[in-house]
Amino acid sequence: MFRFLVSLFNWSAPLLEEKIPMKKFLIVGLGNIGAEYEETRHNIGFKILDTFSQKGGFAFETEKLGEVGTLKIKGRSILCLKPSTYMNRSGKALRYWMEKEKIPLENVLVVTDDINLPFGVLRLKAKGSDGGHNGLKDIQQILQTTTYNRFRFGVGSDFGKGRQVDYVLGEWNLEEKEKLKERLEKSTELIRSFILSGIKNTMNTFNGT
C-alpha cells in the first residue's frame, strides 16, 4: 500500500527507514542481466548477493536501475543491489541508490570478479585502481574517486592471449562448480562481517582465505 501511494503521488521515498545514516549500508553485486549470463564468471557479484538473500531470508524486487532487496542485521539497515544497467554502466545504479537512500560512501561495498586472483580467493580493499575491470572503471568515473570498498572474488586467469572476454563471460568449469557453494557461503560471511565489524577487522579475518 505504501509503495502504491509513493508511485501514485510520485514521491521518492527511501526504501530503508533509518534515522541514523551511518547505520545504512549499500551492497552492490556487479554482473550482467539476462539468463545467458547467470552462470558466468563475470556474474559472481550477482551470485554472491543471491546467496546472501537466501541466507538473510529476503527477496529481490525490480526497482529503478536494478533488482533491490532489503534486510536488517542487528539494528543496521542493508540495501542490496544488482544493477540492471549491465556491467559497463554499474556506476549509474550505484550512485542513484546511494544518493536516494543517503548512504555514506564508507558504507558502500562493491562485489565483483577478479582475474588477478586465483579461483575462490577473497580480497577486500578500501581503495585501489579498477585493474582493467569495466564495472569498476565506470564506478570510479561516476564517483570521481578510487576510494571505495570493493570485495573481489578470484576467478583465475586460465585463458590465452586475447581471450579474456571469452573467459570472464564463460561458465564455470566442473572443478569450480564443485567448490563454488562453499566459496559463496564464505563470501556471505565476509559481507556480514563488513556490516557488523567494519572493513579493517574483516580484511584481517577474510583476506586471502
Side-chain angles (χ1 to χ4, degrees):
M1 182 66 180
F2 175 71
R3 287 193 179 181
F4 170 74
L5 290 174
V6 168
S7 62
L8 183 64
F9 293 100
N10 198 28
W11 295 341
S12 183
L15 295 181
L16 301 180
E17 297 300 328
E18 178 61 67
K19 295 181 180 180
I20 307 174
M22 288 303 292
K23 286 195 175 183
K24 281 187 176 184
F25 292 82
L26 174 61
I27 313 297
V28 185
L30 302 191
N32 290 307
I33 58 173
E36 67 270 33
Y37 296 110
E38 283 182 6
E39 297 301 323
T40 64
R41 296 179 179 91
H42 221 24
N43 265 40
I44 190 63
F46 280 14
K47 206 165 188 66
I48 288 172
L49 286 197
D50 285 340
T51 305
F52 191 60
S53 74
Q54 293 165 12
K55 295 286 186 181
F58 68 94
F60 284 95
E61 297 183 4
T62 301
E63 298 283 354
K64 185 172 181 178
L65 301 179
E67 296 289 315
V68 172
T70 62
L71 75 157
K72 286 184 178 291
I73 300 177
K74 296 186 177 181
R76 293 157 176 82
S77 298
I78 301 100
L79 187 146
C80 295
L81 168 68
K82 297 188 293 182
S84 57
T85 51
Y86 288 99
M87 182 69 78
N88 295 3
R89 294 292 181 267
S90 300
K92 180 180 179 181
L94 187 159
R95 181 175 63 184
Y96 172 80
W97 284 100
M98 188 176 74
E99 292 179 350
K100 175 179 170 59
E101 298 294 335
K102 297 180 174 58
I103 299 173
L105 185 56
E106 61 266 29
N107 286 1
V108 174
L109 178 64
V110 176
V111 186
T112 185
D113 60 302
D114 195 321
I115 61 172
N116 297 307
L117 296 173
F119 169 78
V121 171
L122 314 182
R123 184 72 52 81
L124 182 64
K125 294 183 67 178
K127 60 182 179 179
S129 70
D130 57 58
H133 191 287
N134 288 331
L136 297 183
K137 189 178 298 183
D138 187 64
I139 289 171
Q140 178 178 319
Q141 183 177 356
I142 292 289
L143 297 181
Q144 287 296 292
T145 181
T146 59
T147 304
Y148 62 89
N149 305 312
R150 74 285 309 269
F151 163 26
R152 299 183 295 153
F153 184 102
V155 298
S157 56
D158 187 19
F159 56 87
K161 186 176 181 181
R163 304 290 294 180
Q164 178 177 329
V165 173
D166 292 335
Y167 179 76
V168 296
L169 292 181
E171 296 190 357
W172 309 98
N173 62 40
L174 290 177
E175 183 180 357
E176 291 168 338
K177 286 180 179 179
E178 290 176 358
K179 297 177 180 178
L180 197 54
K181 183 179 179 180
E182 185 275 332
R183 291 288 83 195
L184 289 171
E185 291 183 356
K186 192 77 170 180
S187 297
T188 64
E189 292 173 11
L190 184 152
I191 294 173
R192 185 179 175 88
S193 175
F194 169 79
I195 294 166
L196 295 177
S197 303
I199 187 165
K200 289 184 178 179
N201 289 330
T202 304
M203 287 169 64
N204 291 335
T205 301
F206 287 89
N207 276 359
T209 62

